[in-house]
Structures are given as C-alpha cells and as structure tokens.
Amino acid sequence: FGLVPLEAMSAGTAVLGFDGFGGRDYMRSGYNCAVRHYPDIAGLAYDLVKALKQPERIGRMSAAGPGTAAEFTKDRFHAAWEGVLARVLET
C-alpha cells in the first residue's frame, strides 16, 4: 500500500525500506527515497548503512519528498478513478 510512504514524504521524512508495490508510481530510489523490491534484504541493509554514513544524501531525498507528494492531489485521485470507472462502464 503506497499511501503511508507518500504521507511520510509529504512530511519531509526520509523513506527507507521496501517499495510495497503501491509506491512504485512515485518512489524513485536515490531521488526521493531509498527503497528496494522485496525480498532484497541485503540491498536494504546496504541502503541503511549508506544512509547512516551519508546523512546529506538522506537530507536530499527528504527534501525531494514534499514535491513528489504534492503531485498526488485529491483531484488527481478522483480523475484517475473516474477514468477507470468510465472504461469499465464502456465494456
């Protein structure tokens, strides 16, 4: 489910972990987060160590988060669902 990391980005919090499938629409590892596809435990551990050694990198990702989150508005959500429902009703 991709909403929790998006909310964390909105708050300027660094997102580090697995992408959870739902976040693949907006997560850009190395830009606005540090995420891996499950079950890449070794990659996740590497990212954690890198984050601890390079806090400025995490700072850049945290700073990019609010801009990413701002793109996902309620209007965008409604428009996307209206499109899906219109396609379903056409069939």
Side-chain angles (χ1 to χ4, degrees), residues 23-91:
R24 291 182 183 172
D25 291 341
Y26 63 87
M27 290 179 170
R28 301 293 173 261
S29 196
Y31 171 67
N32 59 13
C33 61
V35 295
R36 300 287 179 148
H37 297 319
Y38 183 80
D40 186 1
I41 301 286
L44 180 61
Y46 174 82
D47 289 344
L48 179 58
V49 170
K50 195 172 181 179
L52 294 171
K53 288 183 175 182
Q54 299 174 352
E56 69 284 349
R57 180 174 179 265
I58 292 299
R60 286 191 304 274
M61 286 186 243
S62 297
T68 299
E71 296 175 22
F72 290 83
T73 64
K74 186 185 264 187
D75 289 340
R76 180 178 174 172
F77 173 82
H78 286 184
W81 272 107
E82 287 170 2
V84 168
L85 293 174
R87 287 190 301 277
V88 168
L89 293 174
E90 288 175 358
T91 58

